[in-house]
Amino acid sequence: MKPILKIFAALLALVLAAGIGVSAAIAALYVHYAPTLPEAEAVRDVRLQTPLQVRTADGLLMGEFAEERRIPLPIDEIPERVRQAFIAAEDERFYDHPGVDIVGLARAAINEISTRGDRSQGGSTITMQLARNVFLTRDRTYERKLREIFLAIRMEQEMTKDEILELYLNKIYLGQRAYGIEAAARVYFDRSVDELELDEIAVLAALPKAPSTTNPVASAQRAEIRRNYVLRRMLDTGAISESEYEEAVARPVSSERHVAATEVDAHWVAEAARQIVFNLWGDDAYRRGLQVHTSIDSRYQEAANQALREGLLQYDERHGYRGPEDRLGEESMADAESRMRALKARGVHGRLLFPVVVMEREGDGTLHVDGGQIGELTIEPRDQEWARNPEFEVGDVVRVRPYTDGRWRLAQKPEVTGAVIAQSPEDGAIVALAGGFDFFENRYDRSTQAQRQPGSAFKPLVYALALQEGYRPEGMLVDAPMVFDDPALGAEWRPQNYSRQFQGEMSMRDALAQSRNLASIRLLNSLGPQRVHEQLPRFGLDPDQHPSNLSMVLGTGGVTPLQLNNAYSVFASGGKLHSPWMITRIETGDGELLYKAPTERACPDPCEDPPGQDLYLNASGGPLQYTDPAQVLEPGAAWQMSNMLGHVITAGTGRQAQQLGRSDLAGKTGTTNSYRDAWFSGFNADIVATAWVGFDDNRELGRRESGGRTALPLWVRFMDSVLTDAPERPVERPDDLQRVAILPDGRRAPSEETPGANIQWLIPQQVPERGQAPSGPSGENGQSPPESVF
């Protein structure tokens, strides 16, 4: 044999031996790692993390929560050009290789050797990237790379190319917490992936290499460089034409981060629901695609938002203008784009107050302003009058709000805050909840968390307990000066009426309607403060939050708007106490029922109780889970209380509610010392609602900012919206009431025809025997109040 042939044979044998050795080594490594690798079927069935969504009773989205924002799409709904872009950028030979691209790996190895260990080129195919993202870590070790290769080969053997590509395009991280192409399209361009232009598709396909630094929000410049690379790759692979390439690279990269658009502004509700499901399932709640359905009525919710914001703005305008919010410097005022960026950073407050910058002020006070995205506006002098014609300079940043007729009004962020809460008295379900002016400015939920003094809005609870004990609505009280030496109150106490005047003898009905403090204190004194204090749980209140002395009737304890509202629902529901609640059911993304409240409201169609029916729901604001009602007042006493609270509107401190033109409404104002809190709670048989206004730091609202002036207008605006075209629904008179003729001196008349007799509806313990002198809160005719029937 010729020497050259011998050399060739030896080399061939050496290569074969090396190949056999490498193959044996690879086989041995595969045998070693194979048991630790997941089956391809497990990869196929991997659960794509989808967000938690919170919805109204009518199915509208209120909130979405996720660690990863993801919107999975099947492969046939992914545009071909999107697939081409990712394949061109990440794995040109995707449809040809068996999961591992030997050429790419060799190139990466050569690069590592030439750069002395710099692994900047990984040589990973789409299949390998998917294997790493689904089951493996991102540790840059040789062992991890081997496991990645072996898993990619296994996946290719048991899955189709389209299955792999579909999972990859739905799983890949593309920056800004967006996973998958559909979520990324929504985040960066606020459109679905099938609505994107070629240059935008290329921006997304450019992201897998460095999603945190090359995304268009983080750096438009780096995003453009990488986008153009992808477009060049698409041109080289024949996916696009030369003209398409030239047109796409000429377009600027423009993007901003978009969040999931909610359909109803109810962020405090969504946050409470999020906390409940997080308490149940932890971080997994954000990955399971849970659908949380609530009792919130979207129409009621929007009415609560509008009523609260308009009411707070009206209060704010009454107390004057505090001046411009800021002043832009020369750089920010340089051009329209700079002004737009500066204004955009300040945000729209409460979806209502837009930031604008003053461009010119005419001699008559007319303002010409630049509103950035809302354009150039003119603010007429009449729309600034409430601010007492303030002086402005060019560059001043102020707020404006729109009128329905196209005009704009000068405004400012209100410092005062408040809450509006509404429930169904039938079952206690929360149907609307607004916890402040702007959730994103301050997430503190005043409706469920703010412990405030209720003032005179607390009085009906004491009056209701008196009725239950046997006192009659027409029983007499004395409204006159009094002095108490009560050890529980400390020093000598001389309570006063709001008006500083006295009415003398008056009925319980009138004393409540006119909110007479002294008459109410006498009533509590006759009942016994300690006995009343012990009965507060009847209304769902915690006695520890209230004093057990005579000041209790003036509302010196602490309640949240939700607690007070739920207490008033006892009157509207015929004496039943419900626990306030809002989650009707919880389902997985696949429709599996995890929880259902045990009430017909929970399901639009009959649905079975799920295995998780015994889940305990709770939130930071307290339990918000449906419970069976408890009868805490006799139905007749609850009806009498509703009737007396109706008198508050027809002849008392709630007269402003008469503008609604309805005869089925009842309620009570509340004002605390130094005007720190303003309340109105009211209802009919279908809805009970409470409005509260105050400052978070408990400062004074200002002189004469009473419940009737400050909170009642919010309640009226809300009820006007939700009761429009609704038939009147007064609380129905129950069967436990007796029709009784009462003489002017309080005795029972022999018959209804007796001259001067007044017909009253009374519960049994309120009915005097014929000829018997009445007993009452003031112990008329020497009689003591009747024994407690509690």
Side-chain angles (χ1 to χ4, degrees), residues 408-527:
W408 290 79
R409 180 178 180 86
L410 180 68
Q412 64 185 352
K413 288 184 180 181
E415 294 181 342
V416 71
T417 190
V420 171
I421 181 82
Q423 293 172 264
S424 166
E426 180 181 0
D427 59 3
I430 299 170
V431 295
L433 186 157
F437 193 92
D438 188 331
F439 175 82
F440 297 102
E441 185 85 4
N442 187 332
R443 301 190 177 194
Y444 180 56
D445 183 2
R446 289 93 182 165
S447 64
T448 63
Q449 295 175 301
Q451 287 279 345
R452 308 292 297 213
Q453 290 188 351
S456 293
F458 186 86
K459 288 174 182 173
L461 310 187
V462 176
Y463 278 65
L465 295 175
L467 295 176
Q468 180 107 336
E469 279 216 19
Y471 298 107
R472 300 192 315 275
E474 306 303 332
M476 303 307 291
L477 297 174
V478 176
D479 181 48
M482 57 201 311
V483 178
F484 288 96
D485 184 14
D486 188 342
L489 295 173
E492 190 177 79
W493 184 41
R494 297 175 180 269
Q496 296 287 335
N497 285 323
Y498 176 78
S499 64
R500 303 284 175 172
Q501 297 176 345
F502 311 102
Q503 295 284 334
E505 193 173 69
M506 61 193 313
S507 69
M508 283 180 62
R509 180 186 303 276
D510 288 336
L512 182 63
Q514 298 176 33
S515 201
R516 310 304 292 182
N517 289 344
L518 296 172
S520 300
I521 291 169
R522 279 192 167 87
L523 174 62
L524 177 58
N525 191 46
S526 69
L527 291 170

Side-chain angles (χ1 to χ4, degrees), residues 607-618:
C607 56
E608 297 179 358
D609 290 344
Q613 183 62 64
D614 59 349
L615 291 175
Y616 176 70
L617 310 185
N618 60 80

Side-chain angles (χ1 to χ4, degrees), residues 546-574:
H546 300 268
S548 59
N549 55 47
L550 293 174
S551 72
M552 173 174 50
V553 73
L554 304 184
T556 56
V559 296
T560 66
L562 176 58
Q563 287 172 334
L564 186 64
N565 197 67
N566 199 57
Y568 272 64
S569 72
V570 171
F571 309 139
S573 65

